[in-house]
Amino acid sequence: MNAPTDTALIRMENAQLVRGETTVFSGLRATVHTSQRLAILGPNGIGKTSLAMVLAGRLRLSRGTLELLGIDVRNTDIRALRPKIGYFSDELITRLSPDMTALEVVALGKFSGLRSEWFKLDDDDHAEANHLLTLVGLANFGRRTLDSLSTGQRQRVMLARAFSGTPRLTVLDEPTSHLDLVAREQMIEALERILDEHHQDGALVMVAHHLEDLPPSITHALLMSESGQWYGSSDDVLTSETLTQAFDHPIEVHNLAGRRIATALRTN
């Protein structure tokens, strides 16, 4: 099932997802190659999390074309793709036993594993997990259980898990949600270290609520809204004009120390 190295890791055209009688999204397109980093943004309820689940092989499209890691998902069991794609979501945290150690949680990410007793971890698995915990600033937390960690620490453990096994594609669904200002910055710094030192040749997809949640290295963006969709380079998409159209509200985008900041303007 291995794809050629020059193949796009995501190729999506005219993607549509229908749940019951509700169309969650439609007409989406995006192509992500090695080393590219795609941000997905848009108003609440527009389908960003559902799209992340599709791109991580957790959910099937209703219509359209989707290739993941060079494989047409219409012709394969998507469950076989899941261990090949790193994934972060709040829902995943709730499925892990709270008495698992941080080291176990990270090491099992290589297998998309939820229970340590289902897998035999070797020295290499432990070494990589320890390395990833170091990159996210938790070098001495390997033996700590999930329920003994703060929210920010747990989310950094889950971030490390998403890169276990050095997947070619990693999908992060709002990794900075529920975090205070300092914890959010720690999370973004941890992500940048992993991308720089552990994932240089991999592709990243990151769903975010705010521009401030994005690392500076984002290269492309997909902006979803009721009034349209915009896809392209981050410099072309993440602009005051485009965000104003997407949110139907005046928004100004500024750059500060390499990071984008968006401000919703008062209308009276």
Side-chain angles (χ1 to χ4, degrees):
M1 289 180 66
N2 289 333
T5 56
D6 60 348
T7 301
L9 300 183
I10 295 174
R11 192 183 305 279
M12 178 175 66
E13 292 288 344
N14 198 30
Q16 183 183 59
L17 180 66
V18 179
R19 308 292 292 271
E21 298 182 355
T22 301
T23 298
V24 181
F25 57 73
S26 64
L28 296 181
R29 69 177 182 90
T31 302
V32 181
H33 292 272
T34 297
S35 300
Q36 291 184 340
R37 297 164 185 177
L38 172 70
I40 299 174
L41 299 103
N44 289 338
I46 202 65
K48 301 186 297 296
T49 287
S50 295
L51 178 57
M53 293 176 68
V54 167
L55 298 179
R58 266 68 181 176
L59 194 62
R60 281 193 182 275
L61 286 177
S62 303
R63 295 184 182 85
T65 300
L66 176 63
E67 295 178 6
L68 296 175
L69 307 180
I71 300 164
D72 189 334
V73 300
R74 294 173 297 184
N75 302 319
T76 191
D77 182 349
I78 60 173
R79 292 173 297 181
L81 285 174
R82 292 171 188 170
K84 301 175 183 293
I85 302 173
Y87 184 51
F88 175 107
S89 77
D90 278 348
E91 183 271 339
L92 182 58
I93 297 176
T94 66
R95 297 172 63 194
L96 294 167
S97 175
D99 62 357
M100 289 178 64
T101 66
L103 185 67
E104 290 173 331
V105 170
V106 175
L108 288 174
K110 175 180 178 180
F111 312 99
S112 287
L114 298 176
R115 295 290 182 270
S116 57
E117 60 267 25
W118 297 348
F119 300 89
K120 183 176 178 57
L121 301 175
D122 59 26
D123 290 343
D124 289 341
D125 297 327
H126 289 141
E128 184 191 36
N130 277 315
H131 174 61
L132 285 165
L133 285 171
T134 298
L135 290 178
V136 300
L138 298 173
N140 299 316
F141 285 71
R143 295 185 179 180
R144 293 274 297 272
T145 59
L146 280 182
D147 60 0
S148 73
L149 302 176
S150 69
T151 299
Q153 291 166 347
R154 275 197 303 272
Q155 294 197 196
R156 277 186 281 153
V157 167
M158 297 303 293
L159 178 69
R161 173 191 168 91
F163 290 92
S164 179
T166 319
R168 295 173 61 207
L169 171 64
T170 303
V171 179
L172 308 178
D173 184 17
E174 299 186 31
T176 60
S177 63
H178 315 304
L179 300 181
D180 63 31
L181 176 61
V182 173
R184 182 189 70 182
E185 293 307 304
Q186 290 172 334
M187 190 70 157
I188 295 171
E189 290 172 4
L191 174 57
E192 286 285 83
R193 283 195 297 271
I194 290 178
L195 294 175
D196 289 343
E197 300 181 34
H198 191 79
H199 202 246
Q200 301 95 327
D201 296 327
L204 175 74
V205 174
M206 179 175 170
V207 175
H209 263 308
H210 308 286
L211 293 191
E212 294 88 341
D213 296 335
L214 299 175
S217 58
I218 289 293
T219 61
H220 292 73
L222 172 60
L223 182 57
M224 305 165 61
S225 81
E226 295 283 355
S227 57
Q229 296 127 20
W230 295 262
Y231 166 70
S233 73
S234 54
D235 288 338
D236 290 339
V237 174
L238 302 180
T239 66
S240 301
E241 179 182 3
T242 304
L243 266 72
T244 293
Q245 293 180 63
F247 285 86
D248 192 25
H249 188 97
I251 294 175
E252 284 190 358
V253 177
H254 306 277
N255 284 278
L256 178 64
R259 297 267 295 281
R260 293 180 178 88
I261 299 173
T263 303
L265 304 180
R266 296 184 62 173
T267 56
N268 54 28

